[in-house]
Amino acid sequence: MKIFGRLPPMDHLRSEKMSFVQLIMPVESAHRAITYLGDLGLLQFKDMNEDKSPFQRTFVNQAKRCAEMSRKLRFFNEQISRASLAVSARPAVQPDIDLEHLEVKLGEHETELHEMNSNSEKLQQSYNELLEFKLVLSKAGSILASSHSHASSPDTELDENIYHNDAIDDGMSLLEQGARMETSNGAGLRFICGIISSSKEMMFERMLFRATRGNMFFNRAPAGELVTDPISGDQVEKTIFVVFFSGEQAKGKILKICDAFGASCYPVPEDRTKQLQIIREVTSRLSDLEATLDAGLRHRNEALAAIGSQKWRWSLMVRKEKAVYDTLNMLNFDVTKKCLVGEGWCPTFAIPQIKDALQRASLHCNSQVGIIFHELDAIESPPTYFKTNKFTGAFQEIVDAYGVAKYQEANPAVYSVITFPFLFAVMFGDWGHGICLLMGALVLIAREKKLGSQKLGSFMEMAFGGRYVILLMAIFSIYCGLLYNEFFSVPFHIFGPSAYKCRDSSCSDAHSTGLVKYRDPYPFGVDPSWRGSRSELPFLNSLKMKMSIVLGISQMNLGIILSYFDAKFHGNSLDIRYQFIPQMIFLNSLFGYLALLIVIKWCNGSQADLYHVMIYMFLDPAGDLGENQLFWGQKQLQILLLLMALVAVPWMLFPKPFILRKLNKERFQGHSYRFLGTSEMDVESEPDSARIRHDDFNFSEVFVHQMIHSIEFVLGAVSNTASYLRLWALSLAHSELSTVFYEKLLLLAWGYDSLIIRAVGLMVFIFATAFILLMMESLSAFLHALRLHWVEFMGKFYHGDGYKFRPFSFALLAEEED
């Protein structure tokens, strides 16, 4: 413990020290003060009006005005998107505008756009109706001409009686004359022309047949082009129809059915000459409407372009103002003193900057009364704030995804910067694949400014955010690949010749029985001669399995050591004596001893069976080890370690709950008639482990919690050690899968003389390597490394039940807008 006490403090591994502060601001300078604090972005305000609804707060009207302006800006965004206009994200600097003028300007723009949209919709509807009328005239005219050519003379007389021209004034336009034709009341055969959606055509005809009891004749013709529906505005296929009927009652039924099915009816004269005259008139009006619509569209696009050039600046300004008023609504308004009182958290180092910002706000507002700023004693736990950059931010996000650290708790992200990519590389070790990952990471880093200003997809955004994590994973993958001596599963003599050679000329390089060691071991990594030998798989299995256990025991010990530093930092001596010490004894008496045996066996080249040693350490501690003995005094050491492990379990379980109960009784014994607040002051002077209120202390609950924690650690020591074997399993799977792709795809295709087969084999090999090994395998290794950190490592010391420091900052608003 004295050695640990002489170590330098771990301040850089803990969250920033926070201060609970209070601000008392005059009303006239409150807005500017909050604005300056938003620019600074280092103060998190506490909501002092939680009991009030949003409509009962002081600045609710101003917040509503900002919300209304936000709605108008969203309306502008929708209009710009609908018009498919490209606007610059960051326009040139324009003269500043205050909120009142901006509100008026946004209202004017909205009114103008609504008027233009309304006029455009009316003109477009008229255009669509005229276009439908033109199609009906052309198609229905052909249908009527065809029917007349087959009609008898009595029918012709009846038709002439339906549309007599005596009642038509020569001064009317042709469209009005056509409308008057439909109103003529005759008793003979009549017809109605119109247009309907092709999807409703069959149902429409069936309904007409039933309504008229078959006393009608239905004729149709396709429109021949997509028509804009006047009601829905969609481009749909339509059909021109002509219904022949007799009688006024049938006409009423048919018109009602047309209205129900959304069919549009148009008056069509029988005279072909009049039809052509109306078509020419409709065509002329269509050309006029088209020119008017084009001019209106250009004017609307110009107005939207002018709005779009300033939209980002206006939106940011409105968001800032709304954020300011939302923050002001969190403050308590003192009516008598005409001031606002606010409380919040800030990093201790930021107090001088906050004071300076408040002082500037008072000077710029010419306020006669300054803003009062002072620190308070806090009851609740402070938020957690780690200063990160673009390199460490991704690792901090990995840790925060498990849980945000408590205030001043040791931060696992500092160690995860190295351990996370290294454990990934142990499973992904291949320096060829590592180079591919490295190239991808370097591309993301080289283009980070361009990519950071673009809107990316979900997968690309995740890869870009973790570009530095991918960089370190690639570097460590290259390192582990050099250790394994694998380049797309192919070994290379990078660091010199092999330490083995053939005994005679009949020796085959594919078998290790004829190889003898003739020089010092291969200087770095696995000897290339192991590749392809009959003992390759047993050798690599043994190497990677033992390496996984050693790495796992080392990382779990690191987690327990961090729990000691946490307890020491918070002055919790009980956790050091009755949690850290027995945990270290139990873990290292069993599994630390196993890691020691592995290292000794590697050093002296012994043939001892470590499975036998560990099993009979429990079954027969006093038995003879025989050929499995690795060093002198091993049996006595095993008995001692086994006894220490057995003692460590009750050491973890029993002392701490009973000591807490004793401290609780001593603290409150005879304190019934103390002055108010005395006991609370005494409680605050005790260590953290003993800060339990008398009324809240429940011995059974504390004992059960400690028992669960102890059992979890004992069982977890076994399961967590076994969990690290995933490093061996995934590394072996990656290596074997890479070997299969190389031998069964690339080498097999290269054995043919055909260039086509070789090209196909090369393409399949590249596809398998890119999508299976580089994407799926890397994702699998990433998730397993994540599990090892979250459960096996962080579970030893990390609580993760804090909450993030979320300051009031305009910079965060700009990032959200991007």
Side-chain angles (χ1 to χ4, degrees):
M1 297 304 170
K2 292 182 180 179
I3 297 176
F4 287 148
R6 289 195 294 267
L7 292 176
M10 301 172 66
D11 293 339
H12 60 287
L13 300 179
R14 304 190 182 278
S15 59
E16 295 291 335
K17 291 183 178 179
M18 308 297 290
S19 299
F20 190 64
V21 298
Q22 185 182 58
L23 296 84
I24 303 175
M25 299 177 285
V27 176
E28 63 271 12
S29 59
H31 183 277
R32 191 177 292 270
I34 297 297
T35 303
Y36 287 174
L37 291 176
D39 292 330
L40 187 61
L42 289 173
L43 181 60
Q44 174 180 325
F45 285 93
K46 177 184 176 182
D47 191 357
M48 302 180 67
N49 298 314
E50 292 180 347
D51 55 336
K52 294 182 180 180
S53 68
F55 301 101
Q56 294 175 329
R57 306 204 177 195
T58 308
F59 297 93
V60 62
N61 292 328
Q62 290 84 345
K64 285 181 180 179
R65 288 172 58 194
C66 293
E68 179 64 18
M69 286 188 281
S70 298
R71 183 198 61 78
K72 294 175 182 177
L73 288 168
R74 287 194 301 272
F75 169 71
F76 297 153
N77 279 334
E78 293 173 1
Q79 296 297 312
I80 292 173
S81 300
R82 192 176 299 174
S84 302
L85 293 178
V87 296
S88 59
R90 300 290 178 91
V93 179
Q94 297 288 333
D96 292 335
I97 182 173
D98 57 14
L99 193 64
E100 287 74 14
H101 289 155
L102 179 60
E103 185 177 15
V104 173
K105 198 167 187 177
L106 292 179
E108 292 174 352
H109 283 304
E110 185 186 29
T111 304
E112 183 183 6
L113 277 177
H114 278 305
E115 290 178 356
M116 286 190 289
N117 289 340
S118 177
N119 295 333
S120 177
E121 289 173 2
K122 291 178 182 178
L123 290 173
Q124 188 67 42
Q125 186 174 2
S126 300
Y127 180 84
N128 295 334
E129 291 176 353
L130 285 173
L131 183 60
E132 286 185 350
F133 189 23
K134 180 181 177 181
L135 292 173
V136 170
L137 285 170
S138 60
K139 298 292 183 178
S142 302
I143 295 173
L144 291 174
S146 175
S147 65
H148 274 291
S149 63
H150 299 288
S152 61
S153 57
D155 295 334
T156 306
E157 292 177 2
L158 288 173
D159 293 342
E160 289 175 353
N161 290 329
I162 294 175
Y163 294 109
H164 54 87
N165 299 328
D166 296 339
I168 300 177
D169 189 2
D170 294 337
M172 295 182 181
S173 68
L174 290 176
L175 286 176
E176 291 172 343
Q177 293 175 17
R180 286 289 301 271
M181 290 176 189
E182 281 294 312
T183 62
S184 62
N185 295 323
L189 186 65
R190 304 178 177 213
F191 64 88
I192 293 177
C193 303
I195 187 169
I196 191 172
S197 175
S198 298
S199 61
K200 301 178 182 179
E201 176 189 337
M202 297 300 296
M203 292 186 293
F204 178 65
E205 182 180 1
R206 190 177 297 115
M207 184 61 69
L208 287 175
F209 184 83
R210 291 176 179 175
T212 60
R213 299 186 180 185
N215 295 317
M216 66 93 190
F217 179 72
F218 187 86
N219 207 338
R220 73 182 73 86
E225 59 181 279
L226 293 176
V227 181
T228 303
D229 188 74
I231 299 174
S232 64
D234 298 329
Q235 294 281 334
V236 294
E237 291 184 2
K238 291 202 172 186
T239 301
I240 312 299
F241 66 87
V242 179
V243 182
F244 296 92
F245 62 92
S246 177
E248 190 67 26
Q249 188 176 4
K251 177 182 178 182
K253 291 180 179 180
I254 293 172
L255 291 177
K256 287 181 180 179
I257 294 172
C258 290
D259 186 58
F261 277 84
S264 302
C265 298
Y266 296 97
V268 178
E270 289 185 274
D271 188 2
R272 187 60 181 169
T273 304
K274 292 183 178 180
Q275 290 177 11
L276 294 176
Q277 289 178 353
I278 296 176
I279 289 174
R280 285 193 295 270
E281 184 178 343
V282 169
T283 305
S284 175
R285 291 185 61 182
L286 279 174
S287 61
D288 294 341
L289 279 176
E290 190 171 356
T292 305
L293 283 170
D294 290 341
L297 184 62
R298 284 195 301 271
H299 178 61
R300 180 172 175 270
N301 287 344
E302 290 174 0
L304 288 175
I307 293 172
S309 64
Q310 298 300 317
K311 178 178 63 70
W312 182 87
R313 189 170 66 95
W314 291 347
S315 178
L316 185 59
M317 180 179 176
V318 171
R319 288 166 67 89
K320 284 184 178 182
E321 287 295 325
K322 189 175 186 304
V324 168
Y325 284 116
D326 287 342
T327 304
L328 288 172
N329 280 328
M330 297 170 66
L331 309 183
N332 190 11
F333 182 62
D334 192 336
V335 181
T336 58
K337 298 179 181 178
K338 294 183 180 181
C339 62
L340 292 167
V341 181
E343 295 177 354
W345 294 97
C346 70
T348 304
F349 71 83
I351 289 178
Q353 302 176 49
I354 294 174
K355 288 182 176 179
D356 179 65
L358 297 176
Q359 186 176 3
R360 285 189 290 110
S362 298
L363 291 175
H364 293 166
C365 291
N366 296 322
S367 176
Q368 297 179 354
V369 181
I371 299 175
I372 300 174
F373 176 88
H374 59 275
E375 298 182 46
L376 299 176
D377 294 329
I379 300 175
E380 59 187 20
S381 177
T384 302
Y385 174 50
F386 292 106
K387 287 195 293 186
T388 58
N389 51 37
K390 61 184 179 181
F391 179 81
T392 60
F395 294 97
Q396 190 64 54
E397 289 296 327
I398 290 175
V399 173
D400 290 345
Y402 175 83
V404 179
K406 290 197 304 184
Y407 177 62
Q408 294 281 286
E409 186 178 13
N411 185 16
V414 176
Y415 301 94
S416 299
V417 171
I418 300 299
T419 58
F420 184 85
F422 178 71
L423 291 185
F424 169 88
V426 171
M427 296 178 276
F428 195 74
D430 187 301
W431 62 281
H433 298 153
I435 289 175
C436 294
L437 279 183
L438 180 63
M439 292 171 62
L442 291 177
V443 169
L444 292 175
I445 293 172
R447 304 181 62 189
E448 64 180 11
K449 288 186 178 179
K450 182 179 179 181
L451 293 175
S453 60
Q454 295 178 355
K455 192 171 183 64
L456 306 174
S458 57
F459 178 78
M460 192 63 186
E461 185 177 3
M462 181 179 64
F464 177 71
R467 58 195 181 279
Y468 290 101
V469 179
I470 299 174
L471 175 68
L472 287 186
M473 291 193 304
I475 293 173
F476 279 104
S477 295
I478 294 173
Y479 170 75
C480 289
L482 293 173
L483 280 179
Y484 300 156
N485 203 346
E486 292 185 9
F487 179 82
F488 296 101
S489 77
V490 180
F492 284 90
H493 295 77
I494 301 175
F495 301 101
S498 172
Y500 300 91
K501 68 177 181 179
C502 291
R503 183 182 294 111
D504 51 40
S505 59
S506 63
C507 169
S508 172
D509 289 340
H511 302 85
S512 60
T513 53
L515 297 177
V516 294
K517 188 175 182 179
Y518 75 100
R519 55 178 296 163
D520 292 336
Y522 194 67
F524 185 84
V526 177
D527 196 301
S529 296
W530 288 104
R531 176 65 63 183
S533 66
R534 287 179 296 184
S535 56
E536 175 193 6
L537 196 57
F539 169 74
L540 292 179
N541 261 340
S542 176
L543 172 67
K544 294 182 178 181
M545 182 173 61
K546 292 181 174 64
M547 182 180 67
S548 300
I549 293 175
V550 172
L551 292 175
I553 299 299
S554 302
Q555 190 174 33
M556 287 191 290
N557 272 295
L558 175 62
I560 299 175
I561 291 172
L562 286 176
S563 72
Y564 162 78
F565 284 108
D566 248 357
K568 185 175 182 295
F569 181 84
H570 294 102
N572 195 340
S573 58
L574 287 180
D575 283 349
I576 296 176
R577 296 193 191 100
Y578 306 109
Q579 196 161 299
F580 164 71
I581 295 177
Q583 285 181 358
M584 287 291 290
I585 291 174
F586 182 84
L587 181 66
N588 291 290
S589 295
L590 302 179
F591 303 103
Y593 174 63
L594 173 60
L596 177 65
L597 293 180
I598 291 172
V599 174
I600 293 175
K601 183 178 178 180
W602 278 345
C603 292
N604 59 21
S606 172
Q607 298 296 320
D609 186 2
L610 298 186
Y611 295 106
H612 184 278
V613 173
M614 294 303 298
I615 290 173
Y616 281 91
M617 179 179 175
F618 294 94
L619 298 180
D620 188 13
D624 187 21
L625 294 173
E627 60 181 9
N628 292 321
Q629 183 167 345
L630 291 168
F631 54 89
W632 178 85
Q634 181 178 351
K635 182 173 69 173
Q636 292 77 10
L637 178 62
Q638 289 183 174
I639 295 173
L640 177 62
L641 292 176
L642 187 61
L643 292 175
M644 291 174 64
L646 293 175
V647 170
V649 176
W651 191 353
M652 276 188 285
L653 176 59
F654 294 109
K656 185 177 177 180
F658 287 98
I659 292 174
L660 286 175
R661 185 176 68 170
K662 180 183 177 183
L663 290 174
N664 186 72
K665 286 183 177 180
E666 290 178 353
R667 184 176 305 106
F668 292 98
Q669 188 175 6
H671 289 187
S672 302
Y673 298 98
R674 279 180 175 267
F675 291 106
L676 291 176
T678 305
S679 61
E680 295 179 0
M681 292 170 60
D682 292 341
V683 169
E684 291 299 324
S685 64
E686 295 295 333
D688 288 346
S689 61
R691 290 183 186 175
I692 301 175
R693 294 290 301 272
H694 178 64
D695 296 337
D696 297 336
F697 184 81
N698 188 332
F699 175 73
S700 61
E701 183 180 343
V702 173
F703 186 81
V704 169
H705 179 271
Q706 187 66 22
M707 180 175 63
I708 293 173
H709 182 77
S710 302
I711 295 173
E712 183 184 9
F713 179 81
V714 172
L715 298 179
V718 181
S719 64
N720 292 348
T721 304
S723 181
Y724 276 95
L725 292 177
R726 70 184 69 232
L727 297 173
W728 155 56
L730 266 77
S731 174
L732 189 65
H734 183 83
S735 175
E736 293 301 313
L737 198 59
S738 181
T739 302
V740 168
F741 288 156
Y742 174 71
E743 294 179 352
K744 301 302 181 184
L745 290 178
L746 192 61
L747 291 186
L748 187 64
W750 230 250
Y752 293 89
D753 294 333
S754 174
L755 291 177
I756 297 177
I757 296 178
R758 289 185 177 184
V760 171
L762 181 61
M763 293 296 294
V764 174
F765 173 75
I766 294 174
F767 177 84
T769 300
F771 287 94
I772 297 178
L773 293 178
L774 291 180
M775 293 184 66
M776 295 178 63
E777 283 284 314
S778 63
L779 181 61
S780 174
F782 180 90
L783 294 177
H784 282 284
L786 199 63
R787 144 81 197 217
L788 291 176
H789 277 77
W790 280 359
V791 179
E792 279 71 25
F793 172 54
M794 291 162 56
K796 298 292 182 294
F797 68 98
Y798 189 66
H799 294 89
D801 54 355
Y803 63 101
K804 271 188 177 182
F805 174 62
R806 301 187 182 278
F808 171 62
S809 173
F810 292 151
L812 297 179
L813 293 177
E815 291 176 3
E816 292 175 4
E817 179 69 14
D818 291 341

